[in-house]
Amino acid sequence: MASGLYMSVRRRVHEIVAVAGPGDTLSRVFDVSIIALILLNVAAMIFESVAVIREAMGSAFTAFEYISVIIFSLEYLFRIWSCVEDPRYAHPVFGRLRFARTPLALVDLLAVLPFYLPFVRMDLRMLRILRIMRIARLAKLGRYSDSLQTLGRVVGTKKEQLISTVFILLILLVIASCLMYYAEHDTQPDSFSSIPVAMWWAVTTLTTVGYGDVLPVTLIGRLMGAVIAVLGIGMFALPTGILGAGFVEEMERRKQSRCCPHCGKELPK
Amino acid sequence: MASGLYMSVRRRVHEIVAVAGPGDTLSRVFDVSIIALILLNVAAMIFESVAVIREAMGSAFTAFEYISVIIFSLEYLFRIWSCVEDPRYAHPVFGRLRFARTPLALVDLLAVLPFYLPFVRMDLRMLRILRIMRIARLAKLGRYSDSLQTLGRVVGTKKEQLISTVFILLILLVIASCLMYYAEHDTQPDSFSSIPVAMWWAVTTLTTVGYGDVLPVTLIGRLMGAVIAVLGIGMFALPTGILGAGFVEEMERRKQSRCCPHCGKELPK
Amino acid sequence: MASGLYMSVRRRVHEIVAVAGPGDTLSRVFDVSIIALILLNVAAMIFESVAVIREAMGSAFTAFEYISVIIFSLEYLFRIWSCVEDPRYAHPVFGRLRFARTPLALVDLLAVLPFYLPFVRMDLRMLRILRIMRIARLAKLGRYSDSLQTLGRVVGTKKEQLISTVFILLILLVIASCLMYYAEHDTQPDSFSSIPVAMWWAVTTLTTVGYGDVLPVTLIGRLMGAVIAVLGIGMFALPTGILGAGFVEEMERRKQSRCCPHCGKELPK
Amino acid sequence: MASGLYMSVRRRVHEIVAVAGPGDTLSRVFDVSIIALILLNVAAMIFESVAVIREAMGSAFTAFEYISVIIFSLEYLFRIWSCVEDPRYAHPVFGRLRFARTPLALVDLLAVLPFYLPFVRMDLRMLRILRIMRIARLAKLGRYSDSLQTLGRVVGTKKEQLISTVFILLILLVIASCLMYYAEHDTQPDSFSSIPVAMWWAVTTLTTVGYGDVLPVTLIGRLMGAVIAVLGIGMFALPTGILGAGFVEEMERRKQSRCCPHCGKELPK
């Protein structure tokens, strides 16, 4: 009997901590509350960095921090405890360990772990940034989860081509910064003191950010700078073209689930 | 008889204030005049801000302001009075209220309302910017209304994906500015005084604007800045790819109203 | 007989000044020489602006200028004289006038006219920039004329949508600069002295150029600046998406001249 | 017998220096080692430019340089010696000469040649940048070679259109810098001292880099600057649209190897 009660409580807890099924108000409230708490944590981290606000409300931030860690810790424990209800993680020990190794569970752990490690206490504030990754949960619920998953799927399909683009960007970066170093080092030994520093210029130019803190001034340096800036356009055109084709492909894949406009039969996916 | 005259006058006024039908010269003149007056109001607002022009022609601007408000107010009243000619707003009270709640009518009201509210008189000039929204009327007439509506439809179809992109941009923004704050705060306590200030840097980098007023100078800060600048390319590629696919989709939708090239039968839309 | 000789000389001159037919070496040499002379004129204009070069070689530039104008003038007269060989401009007076009104002939005239007008002699150098427009002739010959015409056709097909984008850009520009003026004018009366000056900031932000000479510093100004910078991404995505769909359309139009892959019959264009 | 041994050794050497076949571990190890050595050379060139590192580890860099050149030279000689195993380069003299003229072999030679030429010894460090081009070998092996070749093929297909875009960019650049020179030269004789200097501004604006070191300040200069910045958007949209259509085309070419969704028969490529 007690075991039956224990089982049904665990099943209910599992339902609540998982993405809410239709009509399950309590689970829905839980999902929304956790997301809200994550967002509040991010907001607290941002506003606490403002000296004026930190001085005025320092203790409130500390209290909120403690409360958040307690809630996130309990939530994590509930997830680990109840995950065995999921057939994939049914084994009481190995199932739970496998569940704890899933990316979402790892992120949940990292979001609270720094608080319990005294030797990193001094860097605690910085590590709270890990909590923003918990926002990945948002991709599982809400109105925009479909669109987010579409974006993710398109980027995933084109992953190899996008990585190739980054690879080309890196090669260009090294060539550009080496050439620029040899062109400008003698004229501006401070601005172009070494190739790694010239790389900073090359990144800001190839991405067309163009801060203007490091600049070529020699004729040959400006000529090469012009060529690199124009190649920077190509560094935009490649990934944009790749993703554009990816979105067209995605669009056509969806269309193909409809019937053939010629013969009325359903088309194979 | 008087009522018949009243009705026919109201019908004519309704024709004039509505988008001109073909061959209705007076209505056409009215449409063009109102658009011209809106554009002149915008121009007046722009030029009045120049100190030299304001001092030389201050009274002319005030006179033009009074005249404009009178014309816009009359136009608004005529629209409200005659809208009952439209079957959708036929009821003399509720029809008019429903009409007054349409976006275009609300904008028309907001364009003159501030002038009549004494307590906002001091901010009057700023609120005149609402008048530029009246330019939305332009989307209903003229050669380019088709194109504008196409743009609007494509953006509308892809709204959810574009909002998801903005959502990803916001997440990146928060992560980038937090990391940058912790990397640069000790070295540049003035430039990166708080996370909200670091966000300003992150926005100008992720959008590749790159003003150069706030800059990372540490090695780790520049490394992260380079990664964020490259991710900024992705922030261009995603919406561009989405809209590109949207325009291809729109193009194909138009083509589908033609006949099937294989069997000659008309294709279903 | 004399008339016959006159006619055959005129026909030959017309062949030479027109785009070279296959195997017509003299006409080909003429085409290439004129393009080379135009490019040399542009190069001369660029290098003459450098003080060091101008002082060293001033008289050479003047001599080259005289020679160029003489050659371009003779070329123009030959074109006008021989154009009646073209059936479209056959009438000796009205045909020639109609020919002189074509864009290419007008540009040819404008490239030499300033030299003969004494009252604009002082601005002569600046007006030489009109000669660069003669480079439009390049689009008629050479390996890349096909590609250039494809680009022109795609941009032409999407002209209305692109103009609509520019229209949206202008509206955004006015709204952004007005808002920014009211937000920053009190804090930075010098940088944001008037709305037209704020427009300069808005242009550099919406196009993501971001010089950094004018910058928002207030909280509200930076918030609006961030939103405008993000909208600037949209201002890239719209025309890119439009042109992307245009190029896909062009690609499909070319493909349609092939046979139907299903039934082997030729597809209608 | 000796000749047979010589032949089989040469065949084995040829197998090792060529891209590894499946299961050929030694050849695989050789490929990876050479790529690793190239990357180490690039890294050494980058880090040697940092004064602190150079002073601390100068002799280590020199030693690494000697070892690298010896290995690269031996590799080059082995490639030349064994290339006759390839039927395309079978002739002992002319085959080897033809092989030595292939781009990859030329790059391999240029990567070591400067070391053996005493009169360029002083520029040796700069010429080492040629070694980074050896990284082109990477495109022949590894997981991403497919994606890199797809990128190369799409860019290759659209080469003429992309060159036309660069041509349009150059025309715009010349026009923009000439106009800007005449507009700003009198007000800022230092910043816009000549048209070539104005071109530097024009490049940074048309590519939307926007360093902000050279800026228009006159009304007419800013108006033209605004137009040029907007045209810069078009300079992004054209190549992006071209490449986008190229990737869609590539995608469709791949799809066409599948069966027809209507009749189930295989479609012709």
Side-chain angles (χ1 to χ4, degrees):
Chain A
M1 280 293 270
S3 169
L5 180 67
Y6 173 80
M7 295 282 279
S8 72
V9 166
R10 198 173 65 185
R11 180 177 303 267
R12 185 69 191 123
V13 165
H14 181 253
E15 280 171 14
I16 290 170
V17 297
V19 172
D24 189 342
T25 315
L26 184 58
S27 175
R28 184 91 198 149
V29 165
F30 176 83
D31 289 350
V32 171
S33 308
I34 287 292
I35 291 289
L37 191 61
I38 294 168
L39 292 175
L40 280 174
N41 263 271
V42 172
M45 182 173 55
I46 290 171
F47 288 116
E48 201 186 343
S49 74
V50 183
V52 180
I53 299 178
R54 190 174 51 239
E55 276 153 28
M57 298 170 60
S59 54
F61 282 116
T62 311
F64 179 68
E65 172 70 15
Y66 275 83
I67 294 165
S68 299
V69 169
I70 291 167
I71 294 174
F72 286 148
S73 304
L74 285 175
E75 182 211 353
Y76 181 73
L77 292 175
F78 276 128
R79 279 188 200 278
I80 293 286
W81 173 59
S82 70
C83 75
V84 289
E85 295 289 332
D86 187 324
R88 288 172 297 170
Y89 311 112
H91 191 280
V93 177
F94 297 112
R96 283 193 170 108
L97 279 176
R98 256 211 328 282
F99 175 77
R101 279 209 314 265
T102 58
L104 278 178
L106 273 177
V107 165
D108 288 1
L109 179 61
L110 285 171
V112 292
L113 198 64
F115 192 81
Y116 296 109
L117 302 175
F119 60 89
V120 293
R121 186 63 49 91
M122 52 188 177
D123 288 315
L124 185 66
R125 282 183 309 146
M126 200 196 293
L127 286 159
R128 279 187 303 166
I129 205 173
L130 293 166
R131 272 176 217 165
I132 205 177
M133 289 174 192
R134 291 210 57 192
I135 235 161
R137 288 208 173 275
L138 209 57
K140 281 212 174 170
L141 72 165
R143 282 178 59 196
Y144 295 107
S145 64
D146 255 14
S147 306
L148 277 170
Q149 278 163 24
T150 303
L151 296 191
R153 195 164 48 242
V154 168
V155 172
T157 318
K158 301 290 172 185
K159 199 179 54 185
E160 300 217 338
Q161 289 188 5
L162 292 173
I163 290 175
S164 298
T165 309
V166 172
F167 177 73
I168 294 170
L169 178 70
L170 285 176
I171 303 270
L172 269 178
L173 203 63
V174 171
I175 295 177
S177 51
C178 288
L179 290 174
M180 216 55 176
Y181 169 72
Y182 290 116
E184 294 284 330
H185 179 63
D186 293 336
T187 317
Q188 304 184 81
D190 289 333
S191 291
F192 289 88
S193 62
S194 67
I195 293 176
V197 171
M199 269 182 177
W200 173 246
W201 168 83
V203 166
T204 62
T205 302
L206 274 172
T207 59
T208 79
V209 169
Y211 291 124
D213 55 337
V214 192
L215 277 170
V217 294
T218 63
L219 180 62
I220 187 83
R222 285 189 166 183
L223 272 177
M224 289 194 313
V227 172
I228 289 158
V230 172
L231 287 174
I233 297 181
M235 286 293 100
F236 270 84
L238 272 180
T240 307
I242 290 166
L243 286 180
F247 281 107
V248 169
E249 203 172 18
E250 172 77 21
M251 196 178 83
E252 279 171 6
R253 201 178 300 132
R254 287 197 184 180
K255 223 182 276 167
Q256 279 179 3
S257 60
R258 297 188 212 153
C259 293
C260 163
H262 305 291
C263 51
K265 289 175 202 159
E266 198 164 292
L267 284 167
K269 272 204 186 181
Chain B
M1 281 291 271
S3 168
L5 180 67
Y6 173 81
M7 296 282 277
S8 72
V9 166
R10 198 173 65 185
R11 179 177 303 267
R12 185 72 190 120
V13 165
H14 181 252
E15 280 170 15
I16 290 169
V17 296
V19 173
D24 189 342
T25 316
L26 185 57
S27 176
R28 184 90 197 151
V29 165
F30 176 84
D31 288 350
V32 171
S33 309
I34 286 293
I35 291 290
L37 192 61
I38 294 169
L39 291 176
L40 280 174
N41 263 271
V42 172
M45 182 173 57
I46 290 171
F47 288 115
E48 202 185 342
S49 74
V50 182
V52 181
I53 300 177
R54 188 173 54 239
E55 277 153 29
M57 298 171 60
S59 55
F61 282 116
T62 312
F64 178 68
E65 171 71 15
Y66 275 83
I67 294 165
S68 298
V69 169
I70 290 166
I71 294 173
F72 285 148
S73 304
L74 284 176
E75 183 211 351
Y76 181 73
L77 292 176
F78 276 129
R79 279 188 201 277
I80 292 287
W81 173 57
S82 69
C83 76
V84 289
E85 295 290 330
D86 187 325
R88 287 172 297 171
Y89 311 113
H91 191 281
V93 176
F94 298 112
R96 284 195 170 106
L97 279 176
R98 255 211 329 282
F99 175 78
R101 278 209 315 265
T102 59
L104 278 179
L106 272 177
V107 164
D108 289 359
L109 180 61
L110 285 171
V112 292
L113 198 64
F115 192 83
Y116 297 110
L117 302 176
F119 59 89
V120 292
R121 185 62 50 93
M122 50 184 179
D123 287 316
L124 185 66
R125 283 183 309 145
M126 200 197 293
L127 286 159
R128 279 186 304 166
I129 205 173
L130 293 166
R131 270 174 220 167
I132 204 177
M133 289 175 192
R134 290 211 57 193
I135 234 162
R137 287 210 172 275
L138 208 59
K140 279 213 174 171
L141 73 164
R143 283 177 58 194
Y144 296 107
S145 63
D146 255 14
S147 306
L148 277 170
Q149 277 162 25
T150 303
L151 295 191
R153 193 163 51 242
V154 168
V155 172
T157 318
K158 300 291 172 185
K159 200 178 54 185
E160 300 217 338
Q161 288 188 5
L162 291 174
I163 291 174
S164 299
T165 309
V166 171
F167 177 74
I168 293 170
L169 179 69
L170 285 176
I171 303 269
L172 268 179
L173 203 63
V174 171
I175 294 177
S177 50
C178 288
L179 289 175
M180 216 55 176
Y181 169 72
Y182 291 116
E184 295 284 330
H185 179 62
D186 293 335
T187 317
Q188 304 185 80
D190 289 332
S191 291
F192 289 88
S193 61
S194 67
I195 292 177
V197 171
M199 270 183 176
W200 172 245
W201 169 84
V203 165
T204 62
T205 301
L206 274 173
T207 59
T208 79
V209 169
Y211 290 124
D213 55 338
V214 192
L215 278 169
V217 294
T218 63
L219 180 64
I220 186 84
R222 285 190 165 184
L223 272 177
M224 289 193 315
V227 172
I228 290 157
V230 172
L231 288 174
I233 296 181
M235 287 294 100
F236 269 85
L238 271 179
T240 307
I242 291 166
L243 286 181
F247 281 107
V248 170
E249 202 171 20
E250 173 76 21
M251 198 177 80
E252 280 172 5
R253 201 179 298 132
R254 287 199 183 177
K255 223 181 276 169
Q256 279 179 3
S257 59
R258 297 187 212 154
C259 293
C260 164
H262 304 291
C263 51
K265 289 174 201 160
E266 200 164 290
L267 284 166
K269 272 203 188 185
Chain C
M1 283 290 270
S3 168
L5 179 68
Y6 173 80
M7 295 281 279
S8 71
V9 166
R10 199 173 65 185
R11 180 177 302 267
R12 185 70 191 123
V13 165
H14 182 253
E15 281 170 14
I16 291 169
V17 297
V19 172
D24 190 341
T25 315
L26 184 60
S27 176
R28 185 87 198 153
V29 166
F30 176 84
D31 288 352
V32 171
S33 309
I34 286 292
I35 291 290
L37 192 61
I38 294 169
L39 292 176
L40 280 174
N41 263 270
V42 171
M45 183 172 57
I46 290 171
F47 288 115
E48 202 185 343
S49 74
V50 183
V52 180
I53 299 178
R54 188 172 54 240
E55 277 153 29
M57 299 171 58
S59 53
F61 282 117
T62 313
F64 179 68
E65 172 72 14
Y66 275 84
I67 293 166
S68 298
V69 169
I70 290 166
I71 294 174
F72 285 148
S73 304
L74 285 176
E75 183 212 350
Y76 181 72
L77 292 177
F78 276 127
R79 280 188 200 279
I80 293 287
W81 174 57
S82 69
C83 75
V84 288
E85 295 290 332
D86 186 326
R88 287 171 299 171
Y89 311 112
H91 191 280
V93 176
F94 296 112
R96 285 195 168 105
L97 280 176
R98 258 213 324 283
F99 175 77
R101 279 208 315 264
T102 58
L104 277 179
L106 273 177
V107 164
D108 288 0
L109 180 60
L110 285 171
V112 292
L113 199 64
F115 192 83
Y116 297 109
L117 302 175
F119 59 87
V120 292
R121 185 64 48 93
M122 51 185 177
D123 287 316
L124 185 66
R125 283 183 308 146
M126 200 196 293
L127 286 159
R128 278 185 305 165
I129 205 173
L130 293 166
R131 271 175 218 166
I132 205 177
M133 289 175 193
R134 290 209 57 192
I135 234 161
R137 287 209 173 276
L138 209 58
K140 279 211 174 171
L141 74 164
R143 283 177 57 194
Y144 295 108
S145 63
D146 256 14
S147 305
L148 278 170
Q149 277 162 25
T150 303
L151 296 191
R153 194 164 50 242
V154 168
V155 172
T157 319
K158 300 292 171 184
K159 200 178 54 187
E160 301 217 337
Q161 289 187 6
L162 291 174
I163 291 174
S164 298
T165 309
V166 171
F167 177 74
I168 294 170
L169 179 69
L170 285 176
I171 303 269
L172 268 179
L173 203 62
V174 171
I175 294 178
S177 50
C178 289
L179 289 175
M180 216 55 177
Y181 168 73
Y182 291 118
E184 294 284 329
H185 179 62
D186 293 336
T187 317
Q188 304 185 80
D190 289 331
S191 291
F192 289 88
S193 61
S194 67
I195 292 177
V197 171
M199 270 182 177
W200 173 245
W201 169 84
V203 165
T204 62
T205 301
L206 273 173
T207 60
T208 78
V209 169
Y211 290 124
D213 55 337
V214 193
L215 278 169
V217 294
T218 63
L219 180 64
I220 187 86
R222 287 190 164 184
L223 271 177
M224 289 194 315
V227 172
I228 290 157
V230 173
L231 288 174
I233 296 181
M235 286 295 100
F236 270 84
L238 271 179
T240 306
I242 291 166
L243 286 181
F247 281 106
V248 170
E249 202 170 19
E250 173 76 21
M251 196 178 82
E252 280 171 6
R253 201 179 297 132
R254 289 197 182 179
K255 224 180 278 169
Q256 279 179 2
S257 58
R258 297 188 211 153
C259 293
C260 163
H262 304 290
C263 51
K265 288 176 202 160
E266 200 165 290
L267 284 166
K269 272 203 187 185
Chain D
M1 280 293 271
S3 170
L5 179 69
Y6 174 80
M7 295 284 278
S8 71
V9 166
R10 198 172 66 186
R11 180 177 303 267
R12 185 68 191 126
V13 166
H14 181 253
E15 280 171 15
I16 290 170
V17 297
V19 172
D24 189 342
T25 315
L26 185 58
S27 176
R28 185 88 199 152
V29 165
F30 176 84
D31 290 352
V32 171
S33 308
I34 287 292
I35 292 289
L37 191 60
I38 294 168
L39 292 176
L40 280 174
N41 263 270
V42 172
M45 182 172 57
I46 290 171
F47 288 115
E48 201 186 343
S49 74
V50 183
V52 180
I53 300 178
R54 190 173 51 238
E55 278 152 28
M57 299 171 59
S59 54
F61 282 116
T62 312
F64 179 68
E65 172 71 14
Y66 275 83
I67 294 164
S68 298
V69 168
I70 290 166
I71 295 173
F72 286 150
S73 304
L74 285 176
E75 182 211 353
Y76 181 72
L77 291 176
F78 276 127
R79 279 188 201 279
I80 293 287
W81 173 58
S82 69
C83 75
V84 289
E85 296 289 332
D86 187 324
R88 287 172 297 171
Y89 311 113
H91 192 282
V93 176
F94 297 112
R96 284 196 170 106
L97 280 175
R98 258 213 325 284
F99 175 78
R101 279 210 314 265
T102 58
L104 278 179
L106 273 177
V107 164
D108 288 359
L109 179 62
L110 285 170
V112 292
L113 197 64
F115 192 82
Y116 297 109
L117 302 175
F119 59 89
V120 293
R121 185 66 47 92
M122 51 186 176
D123 288 315
L124 185 67
R125 283 184 308 148
M126 200 196 292
L127 286 160
R128 279 186 303 166
I129 205 174
L130 293 167
R131 272 176 218 164
I132 205 178
M133 289 175 193
R134 291 210 56 191
I135 234 161
R137 288 210 174 273
L138 209 58
K140 279 212 175 170
L141 73 165
R143 283 178 57 195
Y144 295 108
S145 64
D146 255 15
S147 305
L148 277 170
Q149 277 163 25
T150 303
L151 296 191
R153 196 165 47 242
V154 168
V155 172
T157 319
K158 300 291 172 186
K159 198 178 56 186
E160 300 218 337
Q161 288 188 6
L162 292 173
I163 291 174
S164 298
T165 309
V166 171
F167 178 73
I168 294 170
L169 179 70
L170 285 176
I171 303 269
L172 268 178
L173 202 64
V174 171
I175 295 178
S177 50
C178 289
L179 290 174
M180 216 55 176
Y181 169 71
Y182 291 117
E184 295 284 330
H185 179 63
D186 293 337
T187 316
Q188 305 185 81
D190 289 332
S191 291
F192 289 88
S193 61
S194 67
I195 292 176
V197 171
M199 269 182 178
W200 173 246
W201 169 83
V203 166
T204 62
T205 302
L206 274 173
T207 59
T208 78
V209 169
Y211 290 123
D213 55 337
V214 192
L215 277 169
V217 295
T218 63
L219 180 63
I220 187 86
R222 286 191 164 183
L223 271 177
M224 290 194 313
V227 171
I228 290 157
V230 172
L231 288 174
I233 296 181
M235 285 295 100
F236 270 85
L238 271 180
T240 307
I242 291 166
L243 286 181
F247 281 106
V248 169
E249 203 171 18
E250 173 76 20
M251 197 177 81
E252 280 171 6
R253 201 179 299 132
R254 288 198 183 178
K255 222 181 280 170
Q256 278 178 6
S257 59
R258 295 189 213 154
C259 294
C260 163
H262 304 292
C263 52
K265 289 176 202 159
E266 199 164 291
L267 283 167
K269 272 206 185 179

